[in-house]
Amino acid sequence: MLDQGAPPQNRRETASASPGVAAGLMRRKPVESLVAESGQGEGGTLRRSLGLWQLTMISIGATLGTGIFVVLGNAVPEAGPAVTLAFVIAGLTALFSALSYAELAGSIPVAGSSYSYAYATMGELVAWVCGWCLVLEYGVSVAAVAVGWGEYLNELLNGTIGVTIPAALSSAPGEGNGIINLPALIVVLLAMVFLLGGARESARANTIMVCVKIAALVLFCSIGFMGFKSGNYADFMPLGMAGVSAAGATLFFSYIGFDAASTAGEEAKNPKRDLPRAIMLSLIIVTALYVLVAAVAVGAWNWKKFDGSEATLAAIMNDVSGQTFWGTLLALGAVISIASVVLTVLYGQTRILFAMSRDGLVPKALGKVHPKTGAPRLNTVIVSLFCGVLAALIPLGKLVDATSIGTLFAFGLVNIAVVILRYRRPELERTFKVPFGPVLPVLGFLFCAYNMFSLDTVTWVVFGCWMAAGLVFYFLYGYRRSRLATPES
């Protein structure tokens, strides 16, 4: 009853896990069941409307944004000019995980991303923990990106009409005179409106915004290079390798979006072929842009000037050009492009909860699909309001580190899942395989662990509290309502 679509050996494996609480925590959902249920929700199905181009744009859209437009200003004071090296370290960590994601996305093309991969390989409890981490990763990431959007909106308003939104209405409580970050709340609600229209319409809007953001970064490099001073690199690593490691852990936030393409597995036209390609292509494009922009930024400004700066890239352009026009133009591009990150990451969050709802681990209402738009409407509204409140009330720095630790944990599990699935299901069709056997997935796991332990104690305390709350919810709700624990009606 638990695994009707599974091969005989998988039925025996799961059936033996039925008695006892400990065995119940280890029950796995067969790959065949995950794929057979693809697209199915309460009252409707998701629509397969996304090709390779749209999937790549979703991945770039979710990745290329606040990490370079805003978080760069937080990372440079930690690493100095060696922030370029920190980007490479974070990118290498992301690369190992991206390879694992590409293999699993081609083998298990479903909406749940690493949550579903863990369910098929490591059991329900680990899958729940991974899914709960993804809720932290995606939800807090949306909030962090929305905060960065507000900074560039103020820069744009100042450069065009000479006014800015008062600090009380554009900053979180605890940041100066902040009461509420209203712009951050607004951009989340705007993204919600797009998502309620369906995946195809959201993908079209995202593609336009991605093109704008790439053009904005190319413009920055063109202007910023005119102010390049090699002397700014004289003291390359002023805070030592510890500073580079801390910055790398923070900057990992800049790479988290590439797995958003994997959450579109049930809305892709040819997921087995296109998902691995979209993940790898987007990571290559994003990493090249990140390193180039960081190198130009540090070359144009002494690294000490970055401390406390807002809308950093726009400020550099104003300083180099001696006029506000170019900085204002970049701010316009940033306002449009950062909004695409909010849109695509929010999309990923809703699809992960959709998959968890279908498995019975969260309420069924989160998996209800609107018959006309093919979008999980209630899910989208609830997630958007949750993220909007976080964006309005929590400062950026705390959001960034909380996002990074949740992401690193989930990525580490994905690397383990690749090794386990190869051992347990060697016959499974794989449209992409991580090269060098288990070596690269193991390195990916170790890189993730290294970056996690580079984060501060407060971040670990927040993470621990979040995990504890998730386990309480699982044992009070998800454990008994899991579809693997109850017969089909």
Side-chain angles (χ1 to χ4, degrees):
M1 187 66 73
L2 298 179
D3 299 294
Q4 293 177 350
Q9 69 270 25
N10 280 28
R11 291 199 198 105
R12 289 194 300 270
E13 184 178 64
T14 311
S16 65
S18 56
V21 174
L25 300 178
M26 296 298 293
R27 55 197 174 208
R28 292 188 296 274
K29 189 170 184 179
V31 173
E32 289 76 10
S33 296
L34 287 166
V35 175
E37 293 174 355
S38 181
Q40 299 175 19
E42 290 289 318
T45 58
L46 300 177
R47 297 176 181 174
R48 292 197 178 276
S49 58
L50 306 176
L52 175 61
W53 172 254
Q54 291 92 341
L55 292 169
T56 304
M57 290 299 102
I58 286 173
S59 190
I60 294 176
T63 309
L64 193 62
T66 298
I68 193 66
F69 282 106
V70 180
V71 177
L72 178 66
N74 297 337
V76 173
E78 293 181 312
V83 70
T84 51
L85 179 58
F87 264 116
V88 172
I89 291 174
L92 190 60
T93 304
L95 173 62
F96 289 134
S97 297
L99 291 169
S100 294
Y101 262 98
E103 176 169 330
L104 292 173
S107 306
I108 315 174
V110 293
S113 184
S114 50
Y115 155 76
S116 295
Y117 308 151
Y119 214 163
T121 57
M122 289 175 276
E124 186 171 282
L125 179 61
V126 176
W128 168 262
V129 169
C130 186
W132 194 245
C133 281
L134 290 174
V135 172
L136 177 69
E137 170 197 337
Y138 278 84
V140 180
S141 173
V142 168
V145 170
V147 172
W149 183 84
E151 293 181 6
Y152 275 94
L153 178 63
N154 256 339
E155 184 72 21
L156 177 62
L157 292 174
N158 185 48
T160 52
I161 59 177
V163 300
T164 58
I165 302 171
L169 299 178
S170 61
S171 301
E175 288 189 318
N177 298 320
I179 297 175
I180 184 173
N181 194 325
L182 196 57
L185 175 60
I186 290 172
V187 73
V188 174
L189 296 181
L190 287 174
M192 178 188 74
V193 172
F194 275 106
L195 290 175
L196 290 174
R200 181 190 302 173
E201 291 72 17
S202 301
R204 287 173 180 168
N206 173 65
T207 298
I208 295 171
M209 290 188 280
V210 168
C211 292
V212 170
K213 77 170 70 180
I214 292 176
L217 291 174
V218 171
L219 174 66
F220 168 79
C221 291
S222 301
I223 302 295
F225 191 74
M226 293 190 297
F228 193 92
K229 302 179 182 67
S230 59
N232 287 337
Y233 279 94
D235 188 8
F236 182 69
M237 201 181 293
L239 302 173
M241 196 60 202
V244 175
S245 298
T250 298
L251 288 172
F252 192 77
F253 168 85
S254 307
Y255 289 93
I256 67 170
F258 71 80
D259 66 327
S262 68
T263 67
E266 298 178 23
E267 289 159 286
K269 295 176 183 177
N270 190 343
K272 284 182 172 289
R273 181 195 68 188
D274 292 342
L275 287 177
R277 294 179 181 181
I279 290 170
M280 297 310 302
L281 184 59
S282 64
L283 185 64
I284 291 169
I285 294 171
V286 166
T287 302
L289 280 170
Y290 278 165
V291 174
L292 179 61
V293 171
V296 172
V298 175
W301 254 18
N302 184 282
W303 69 274
K304 295 179 182 178
K305 292 180 67 175
F306 284 81
D307 193 15
S309 65
E310 292 187 354
T312 306
L313 300 188
I316 291 174
M317 289 185 74
N318 289 338
D319 194 19
V320 169
S321 65
Q323 52 184 300
T324 60
F325 171 77
W326 294 111
T328 302
L329 187 61
L330 180 78
L332 174 62
V335 165
I336 296 171
S337 62
I338 293 176
S340 76
V341 184
V342 177
L343 176 68
T344 48
V345 176
L346 197 62
Y347 166 85
Q349 170 74 289
T350 61
R351 270 43 180 186
I352 289 166
L353 284 175
F354 172 85
M356 296 175 74
S357 171
R358 186 169 56 202
D359 292 332
L361 301 185
V362 297
K364 287 186 177 181
L366 296 177
K368 187 172 179 60
V369 176
H370 192 271
K372 290 184 178 180
T373 63
R377 283 196 165 182
L378 181 61
N379 178 342
T380 301
V381 171
I382 291 174
V383 168
S384 299
L385 293 177
F386 171 73
C387 295
V389 170
L390 285 180
L393 300 178
I394 300 179
L396 176 64
K398 297 183 184 301
L399 290 171
V400 170
D401 284 347
T403 303
S404 292
I405 196 168
T407 305
L408 288 163
F409 188 87
F411 283 13
L413 290 180
V414 168
N415 285 294
I416 296 173
V418 167
V419 178
I420 293 176
L421 194 63
R422 282 198 187 183
Y423 173 74
R424 286 186 172 150
R425 299 296 305 277
E427 83 291 350
L428 194 68
E429 180 189 3
R430 291 168 171 84
T431 54
F432 174 87
K433 291 188 71 173
V434 180
F436 306 113
V439 176
L440 292 188
V442 169
L443 285 175
F445 172 78
L446 294 175
F447 267 79
C448 288
Y450 173 77
N451 278 279
M452 284 183 73
F453 286 106
S454 297
L455 293 167
D456 60 34
T457 303
V458 174
T459 303
W460 275 95
V461 171
V462 171
F463 181 67
C465 292
W466 178 259
M467 284 293 100
L471 290 173
V472 169
F473 184 91
Y474 171 71
F475 283 109
L476 292 180
Y477 183 92
Y479 178 77
R480 289 178 175 81
R481 288 174 172 81
S482 166
R483 287 186 59 193
L484 295 187
T486 57
E488 294 289 342
S489 57

